[in-house]
């Protein structure tokens, strides 16, 4: 019998073989003594490998069903390193409403290396197919996308990529291995901002990558070692601890997110709610087929920037901050936070309006969160009504 993922999250790293410690030791060492003059041991310098980081990398590889895992200093370090598998003259297709940091890297950094790019609406497989060029080497997917929660069919996109000799990269930050396994659906590399749900406590910045096959893993290992943007031993330990509780955390947060999304959808002040758990969400059938849950992140659109500001200032529980996926609920304003690097006209094309807010639901009691949201919306209605009356 195969253990469920919730069990694997807790036991994948195992116990320390030397001492029986149930937690992986933290090896705070930059270098390692070599007993043999002619043959080095498995570790020589912590940029190239560290025992604590290796335990984390092996754990995420097991959880994602890949051959090799890699721990980076941030999610963007993982994403950037994966893109360094490309060469000058190559072309990449990217989800249109991709995370702002990824958009910035592609448009302002990757292009300097002679790599071409096209942003496409990946909910439209026809548009994706038409955008593939002879020099296209990677199809880069975010699903659900950030922040408008669009859904891409990973399996079909991966088949399209293979038919055109392309690799498929999938950012799996929102779903985690608990709900979505892109490698099983045909992807070649799965990426995480492990700062978010995998860590879950707003205490570290980290990125993870997992490759499907050994050869691709060797290529990415060379890039990781060359660039050196590796995760330190202390943060690797903390991330392993966070992964152990992922199942309990994400399941509870997702349950609360569904209830909050339903309430917001039925509130007349809210213009639109983006959440794949709705049966009427355009990507819902695909999402249900390729995942095991709907996640703890949702976005919703208020009528204006003024309304969004009043809502934020009226809330009592969620923190107003960059990031997501933590034990505390986090409200974000994509226009000036996650997608600040994207020009206004590009944001608005993607539905990232001045009234859009993103909520990552934490572990607070669902009733408390709902009550807080209700009173904040009531204040928005009161204050915007007074303004409209005066004008």
């Amino acid at each position: 019998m195969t253990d469920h993922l919730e069990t694997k999250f807790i036991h994948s790293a195992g116990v320390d073989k030397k001492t029986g410690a149930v937690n992986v030791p933290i090896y705070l060492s930059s270098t390692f003594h070599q007993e043999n003059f002619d043959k080095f041991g498995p570790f020589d310098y912590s940029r190239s490998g560290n025992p604590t980081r290796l335990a984390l990398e092996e754990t995420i590889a097991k959880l994602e069903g890949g051959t090799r895992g890699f721990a980076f200093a941030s999610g963007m370090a993982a994403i950037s390193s994966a893109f360094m598998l490309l060469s000058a003259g190559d072309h990449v297709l990217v989800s249109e409403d991709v995370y702002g940091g990824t958009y910035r890297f592609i448009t302002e950094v990757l292009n300097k290396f002679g790599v071409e790019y096209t942003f496409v609406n990946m909910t439209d497989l026809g548009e994706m197919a038409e955008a593939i060029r002879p020099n296209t080497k990677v199809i880069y997917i975010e699903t659900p996308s950030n922040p408008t929660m669009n859904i891409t069919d990973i399996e079909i996109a991966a088949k399209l990529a293979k038919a055109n000799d392309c690799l498929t990269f999938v950012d799996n930050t929102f779903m985690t291995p608990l709900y979505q396994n892109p490698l099983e659906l045909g992807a070649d590399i799965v990426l995480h901002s492990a700062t978010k749900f995998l860590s879950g406590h707003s205490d570290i910045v980290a990125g993870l990558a997992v490759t499907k096959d050994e050869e691709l893993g060797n290529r990415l290992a060379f890039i990781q070692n060359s660039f050196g943007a590796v995760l330190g031993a202390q943060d690797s330990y903390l991330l392993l601890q966070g992964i152990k509780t992922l199942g309990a955390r994400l399941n509870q947060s997702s349950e609360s997110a569904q209830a909050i999304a339903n309430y917001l959808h039925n509130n007349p002040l809210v213009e639109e709610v983006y959440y794949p758990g709705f049966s009427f969400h355009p990507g819902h059938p695909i999402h249900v087929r390729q995942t095991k849950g709907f996640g703890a992140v949702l976005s919703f659109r208020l009528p204006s920037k003024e309304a969004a500001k009043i809502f934020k200032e009226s809330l009592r529980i969620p923190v107003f901050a960059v990031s997501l996926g933590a034990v505390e609920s986090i409200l974000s304003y994509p226009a000036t936070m996650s997608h600040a690097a994207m020009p206004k006209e590009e944001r608005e094309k993607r539905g990232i309006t001045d009234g859009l807010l993103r909520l990552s639901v934490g572990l607070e009691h669902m009733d408390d969160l709902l009550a807080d949201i209700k009173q904040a919306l009531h204040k928005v209605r009161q204050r915007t009504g007074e303004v409209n009356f005066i004008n």
Side-chain angles (χ1 to χ4, degrees):
M1 182 178 70
T2 303
D3 288 337
H4 291 82
L5 275 170
E6 290 87 345
T7 303
K8 290 182 178 179
F9 289 147
I10 295 169
H11 295 287
S12 284
V15 299
D16 181 45
K17 294 179 180 178
K18 293 181 179 179
T19 66
V22 297
N23 291 311
V24 173
I26 306 173
Y27 289 89
L28 294 174
S29 183
S30 61
T31 191
F32 300 84
H33 172 66
Q34 306 301 316
E35 294 287 348
N36 192 300
F37 182 85
D38 296 308
K39 185 179 180 181
F40 289 176
F43 302 101
D44 55 13
Y45 188 61
S46 274
R47 170 169 51 79
S48 303
N50 175 281
T52 313
R53 192 173 86 233
L54 178 62
L56 169 63
E57 292 172 332
E58 291 177 342
T59 295
I60 193 60
K62 290 176 187 175
L63 297 176
E64 285 287 9
T67 58
R68 290 192 68 172
F70 302 89
F72 292 88
S74 69
M76 280 311 306
I79 291 168
S80 303
S81 296
F83 274 123
M84 287 295 101
L85 292 166
L86 296 165
S87 301
D90 289 346
H91 173 253
V92 58
L93 290 187
V94 187
S95 293
E96 189 174 51
D97 47 345
V98 76
Y99 165 60
T102 307
Y103 177 92
R104 176 177 53 211
F105 177 78
I106 291 166
T107 59
E108 298 186 36
V109 179
L110 194 61
N111 64 331
K112 293 181 180 180
F113 295 91
V115 176
E116 302 170 354
Y117 59 87
T118 302
F119 291 100
V120 297
N121 175 11
M122 291 196 175
T123 65
D124 186 337
L125 294 172
E127 181 178 331
M128 193 192 313
E130 289 178 5
I132 294 176
R133 304 175 186 174
N135 62 331
T136 303
K137 299 300 180 184
V138 167
I139 294 179
Y140 184 93
I141 299 168
E142 255 187 34
T143 183
S145 65
N146 182 6
T148 52
M149 312 301 286
N150 286 319
I151 306 300
T152 299
D153 190 321
I154 298 172
E155 186 173 15
I156 298 299
K159 288 179 179 177
L160 183 63
K162 285 177 174 52
N164 289 274
D165 197 26
C166 300
L167 295 173
T168 305
F169 298 174
V170 179
D171 184 333
N172 200 30
T173 299
F174 277 21
M175 289 292 101
T176 80
L178 179 65
Y179 288 161
Q180 185 168 263
N181 298 104
L183 298 184
E184 293 181 2
L185 297 167
D188 298 288
I189 297 181
V190 61
L191 298 155
H192 293 274
S193 175
T195 310
K196 314 301 194 298
F197 289 106
L198 287 170
S199 170
H201 292 81
S202 298
D203 54 357
I204 65 167
V205 174
L208 296 172
V210 180
T211 57
K212 190 170 187 175
D213 65 65
E214 193 68 30
E215 188 274 334
L216 189 59
N218 291 337
R219 290 167 58 194
L220 188 57
F222 177 82
I223 290 169
Q224 184 190 44
N225 191 43
S226 298
F227 276 82
V230 296
L231 193 64
Q234 179 80 37
D235 286 348
S236 295
Y237 170 84
L238 289 172
L239 183 48
L240 280 166
Q241 296 302 100
I243 288 173
K244 288 182 178 182
T245 62
L246 174 63
R249 288 187 289 105
L250 187 52
N251 283 330
Q252 180 178 325
S253 291
S254 298
E255 181 181 350
S256 296
Q258 181 76 63
I260 291 169
N262 289 336
Y263 170 76
L264 291 170
H265 173 69
N266 291 311
N267 189 296
L269 188 62
V270 179
E271 295 183 341
E272 189 163 2
V273 182
Y274 304 91
Y275 186 65
F278 290 142
S279 60
F280 50 83
H281 185 291
H284 181 81
I286 295 170
H287 188 81
V288 169
R289 189 175 75 242
Q290 67 187 17
T291 71
K292 304 179 189 73
F294 301 121
V297 181
L298 58 101
S299 297
F300 57 100
R301 190 175 72 239
L302 295 178
S304 65
K305 181 178 181 179
E306 179 199 18
K309 182 178 180 181
I310 295 169
F311 180 81
K312 175 268 172 190
E313 292 174 346
S314 302
L315 281 177
R316 179 179 60 87
I317 297 174
V319 297
F320 183 60
V322 174
S323 199
L324 54 93
V327 293
E328 58 275 340
S329 293
I330 301 176
L331 182 74
S332 297
Y333 186 58
T336 58
M337 289 182 170
S338 61
H339 289 71
M342 192 176 284
K344 182 178 175 65
E345 61 273 17
E346 294 296 330
R347 289 199 304 269
E348 291 181 344
K349 284 180 188 176
R350 294 157 170 80
I352 306 170
T353 65
D354 286 344
L356 187 74
L357 291 163
R358 188 189 71 198
L359 179 64
S360 172
V361 181
L363 296 181
E364 301 93 346
H365 197 285
M366 184 194 308
D367 292 345
D368 293 336
L369 288 170
L370 280 169
D372 195 23
I373 290 168
K374 288 176 184 178
Q375 65 83 23
L377 286 173
H378 180 67
K379 289 181 180 178
V380 172
R381 186 179 295 107
Q382 285 182 319
R383 292 177 60 181
T384 56
E386 290 173 2
V387 171
N388 290 338
F389 178 77
I390 293 170
N391 291 340

